[in-house]
Amino acid sequence: MKYRKNLENMPSYDGIERDYRIKVNANECNLNLPPLVEERVMSRLSRIAFNRYPNYEYYSLREQIARNFSVDEEQILIGGGSSEIIEKVFYAFGGSSTNKIVYPQPSFSMYKIYAKAAEANAIPFDLDNDYNLDVDKFIATVKNESAALAVVCNPNNPTGNALTVETIEKIAKNLNDIDCAFLVDEAYVEFYGKSAVNLVSKYPNLIIARTFSKAYGLASTRVGYMIANPEVTNMISKTYMPYHMNSLSLATADIVYQMRDEFVPRIQMMIAERKRISQQLKTLNGVKVYPSETNFVLIHYDKATELNNYLESLNIGIRSFGSSPRLENCLRISIGTREENDEVFKSIKKFIMPN
Ligand SMILES: *Cc1c(COP(=O)(O)O)cnc(C)c1O
């Protein structure tokens, strides 16, 4: 049949999903909603007008988010996960080989795919050997290429490290001077605590993408949002179909956002667990643990494939990067509950130091 040109060669998202006994492979929250929140969500869902297109639910969530960040409602767009937000941003700034998109690597594997889908000219920018971003070189590359869009993931997935807000500002300022849009993917910001959101009012080119999927444990509902200046949100909203968000997801996210204080203790628990597990992993022979500001830890181990196979045999799912460029023999372990983390660590230790 006459499929679109290049569709056959499009790479797919390489995550393999399976129901592991201990699932620490996708940076999800391993706890379901706090009971108080769940109760409110269920009661709210029972009042949904199933026969109506979503209107009220969209505006209610948007208004709440805008109020929290002290921005205008027009500066918020809600999407089907931040995935949809990022995809639309790439789409809006792509479209031709002269529209260049610069993004770091290794980073979120979807950037490359969205750039391709948007028919943009993808310019991956290599992080250094410790996965740090050479900021001056990054800015110079974006300028030399006259890029339409530059992206950073902060904190970065899958490496875990983060840029300071000052660094984000330096990039935003320099790129604003050349009219280059700058997307900051803050999927893990709740575990880092330092956001660039307040810079949006200062830099018209800055776009922040956020998600409910990670810290707020709403991966099932697919809700994310962006904060940007009205010109940007207006242009990007042209790429959406009418009523692209469903009322059930919007109403759920609305309650979760209202009750976000209920999530603070578990976010703190996950940060404490990340620190604890990182320290423990450092005691294992031959394991390099990368610093993390997220709800996961990246490690390097020479026999990563064998270790991953062993954990699979125990029905423990972590994320192995196989032979992905720059991530050879790296494994990413999401932070689960304390019990899960203990068992994951014990199992890794048993493989590496059996005696
Ligand atoms: C998980 C993740 C996302 C996408 O999350 P959604 O569920 O689509 O909101 C975006 N960026 C990064 C870096 C992620 O790790």
Side-chain angles (χ1 to χ4, degrees):
M1 288 180 284
K2 301 177 191 70
Y3 290 107
R4 187 189 175 114
K5 188 167 130 262
N6 292 333
L7 183 60
E8 200 186 355
N9 303 322
M10 272 293 288
S12 319
Y13 182 60
D14 45 8
I16 309 156
E17 285 309 322
R18 222 183 85 184
D19 277 330
Y20 293 102
R21 182 170 58 86
I22 297 184
K23 190 170 186 302
V24 283
N25 64 342
N27 301 340
E28 292 151 317
C29 174
N30 277 15
L31 298 165
N32 210 334
L33 295 176
L36 214 62
V37 179
E38 191 188 339
E39 211 173 287
R40 285 275 305 282
V41 166
M42 291 309 168
S43 138
R44 177 70 189 83
L45 293 181
S46 72
R47 287 184 283 111
I48 291 273
F50 284 93
N51 56 325
R52 299 292 178 202
Y53 284 114
N55 266 319
Y56 165 77
E57 290 85 0
Y58 188 93
Y59 296 114
S60 171
L61 178 59
R62 194 173 74 153
E63 197 234 305
Q64 258 207 92
I65 296 170
R67 206 175 338 117
N68 181 44
F69 293 114
S70 306
V71 299
D72 292 337
E73 286 166 41
E74 293 69 39
Q75 293 183 257
I76 308 289
L77 274 189
I78 300 168
S82 52
S83 294
E84 193 187 27
I85 298 284
I86 299 163
E87 184 219 342
K88 297 299 191 196
V89 171
F90 275 56
Y91 179 87
F93 290 100
S96 83
S97 58
T98 51
N99 282 44
K100 297 177 180 175
I101 301 181
V102 181
Y103 55 87
Q105 85 178 2
S107 187
F108 191 38
S109 59
M110 291 305 295
Y111 299 149
K112 182 182 169 180
I113 298 176
Y114 294 140
K116 206 170 171 152
E119 298 186 339
N121 189 342
I123 317 268
F125 178 89
D126 277 331
L127 299 177
D128 74 14
N129 286 338
D130 286 321
Y131 302 130
N132 292 310
L133 182 84
D134 182 333
V135 177
D136 292 326
K137 205 167 140 194
F138 183 74
I139 293 170
T141 302
V142 175
K143 287 189 173 173
N144 283 340
E145 300 285 358
S146 291
L149 172 68
V151 182
V152 298
C153 181
N154 200 43
N156 192 39
N157 178 14
T159 61
N161 55 339
L163 301 167
T164 64
V165 175
E166 290 72 31
T167 299
I168 297 289
E169 175 156 22
K170 181 175 177 180
I171 302 172
K173 184 177 185 307
N174 276 277
L175 271 47
N176 196 45
D177 292 344
I178 59 158
D179 284 333
C180 174
F182 180 35
L183 172 66
V184 181
D185 181 351
E186 292 193 336
Y188 300 95
V189 77
E190 291 84 0
F191 304 104
Y192 178 41
K194 295 169 194 137
S195 171
V197 164
N198 292 333
L199 299 175
V200 167
S201 57
K202 212 165 153 189
Y203 302 101
N205 61 330
L206 184 60
I207 304 168
I208 309 286
R210 292 277 193 101
T211 181
F212 282 89
S213 300
K214 307 285 163 58
Y216 294 105
L218 273 193
S220 64
T221 59
R222 314 298 299 120
V223 183
Y225 57 95
M226 74 179 250
I227 307 150
N229 282 283
E231 180 196 302
V232 177
T233 50
N234 181 46
M235 289 298 283
I236 301 219
S237 66
K238 292 174 194 282
T239 70
Y240 280 105
M241 57 181 177
Y243 306 116
H244 65 284
M245 296 297 296
N246 73 74
S247 298
L248 286 88
S249 291
L250 289 167
T252 305
D254 195 45
I255 301 288
V256 163
Y257 203 72
Q258 270 174 41
M259 300 182 78
R260 60 191 179 282
D261 287 351
E262 299 291 322
F263 292 80
V264 172
R266 56 170 62 184
I267 291 170
Q268 283 169 346
M269 181 279 282
M270 285 184 253
I271 294 169
E273 281 294 286
R274 174 191 78 215
K275 291 178 181 167
R276 186 176 72 92
I277 293 300
S278 296
Q279 286 308 323
Q280 288 190 336
L281 288 166
K282 279 181 190 165
T283 65
L284 301 178
N285 294 339
V287 173
K288 175 166 181 172
V289 183
Y290 290 92
S292 172
E293 303 287 346
T294 63
N295 66 337
F296 59 81
V297 191
L298 187 77
I299 64 170
H300 180 275
Y301 181 61
D302 281 341
K303 291 189 190 135
T305 306
E306 291 85 344
L307 172 56
N308 183 53
N309 291 342
Y310 174 71
L311 294 173
E312 286 244 342
S313 75
L314 301 175
N315 210 355
I316 296 174
I318 63 170
R319 178 76 190 269
S320 168
F321 289 95
S323 53
S324 300
R326 312 284 318 281
L327 292 169
E328 294 92 358
N329 293 325
C330 283
L331 301 168
R332 189 191 66 195
I333 305 158
S334 310
I335 300 300
T337 63
R338 191 179 169 95
E339 296 71 33
E340 288 174 326
N341 302 334
D342 277 338
E343 190 172 339
V344 172
F345 174 73
K346 260 198 335 223
S347 307
I348 294 175
K349 185 173 180 188
K350 195 166 169 197
F351 181 85
I352 296 178
M353 296 159 69
N355 306 309

